[in-house]
Amino acid sequence: MLELFPFVAFITVVLLVWAVSSPGTPSLAERLKKHGYLPTSGQVPELSKPFSRRVLFPIMEGLGGKLARITPERMQTTAKEKLELAQARISPSTFLVITAGLGVVLPLLLLSPSLKDGRVGPRELIFALVLFFVGVR
């Protein structure tokens, strides 16, 4: 066991030196130039935003706008009041999209193995209905 100590100590020192002396990460423009893409000055701030801000939030807002058109006004005002009480920073339409998504996704996750096998029993259907109401509430 003692004969392994020098080897372990050497590997530890090498990893520490490597971690401390690693080069800094290049900027976004440098990484894009490396792959042959030359962004304009207006594209760099947009590309430096996180994926969720550039892609997911616009999709959620678009779906939320469509869902808001068919959602009853009372449900929208209730969602808005709940979000204000919770001091959440999302719009009521986005909240409704997430709620509807959970109401559909949770039961599908439960039912997918049964649907794949072709046998959906009453127990699975009851659980799926319970998960639907949990997701929607």
Side-chain angles (χ1 to χ4, degrees):
M1 186 70 166
L2 285 175
E3 53 272 347
L4 285 178
F5 181 72
F7 178 70
V8 172
F10 174 75
I11 295 296
T12 303
V13 169
V14 167
L15 288 175
L16 284 173
V17 169
W18 183 46
V20 171
S21 67
S22 66
T25 58
S27 69
L28 177 67
E30 291 172 5
R31 287 183 288 167
L32 290 172
K33 284 179 188 175
K34 179 176 139 185
H35 295 290
Y37 180 75
L38 301 173
T40 63
S41 61
Q43 290 176 324
V44 172
E46 180 68 26
L47 291 173
S48 62
K49 290 181 184 176
F51 178 77
S52 60
R53 293 267 185 227
R54 287 184 291 127
V55 177
L56 297 180
F57 286 156
I59 290 173
M60 296 284 277
E61 287 297 325
L63 289 173
K66 291 177 182 169
L67 186 64
R69 283 188 232 132
I70 61 172
T71 305
E73 180 131 355
R74 182 174 171 212
M75 185 181 280
Q76 290 180 18
T77 56
T78 304
K80 185 176 182 178
E81 290 169 359
K82 287 180 181 180
L83 289 170
E84 287 174 356
L85 285 174
Q87 297 177 351
R89 295 183 182 177
I90 61 173
S91 67
S93 59
T94 304
F95 175 75
L96 291 173
V97 167
I98 292 170
T99 307
L102 285 176
V104 172
V105 169
L106 286 177
L108 284 179
L109 285 175
L110 176 78
L111 287 176
S112 62
S114 300
L115 290 173
K116 183 180 175 186
D117 295 340
R119 7 176 221 117
V120 178
R123 184 179 70 179
E124 286 87 3
L125 290 176
I126 290 171
F127 284 148
L129 284 173
V130 167
L131 285 176
F132 172 75
F133 287 113
V134 166
V136 172
R137 288 285 158 189

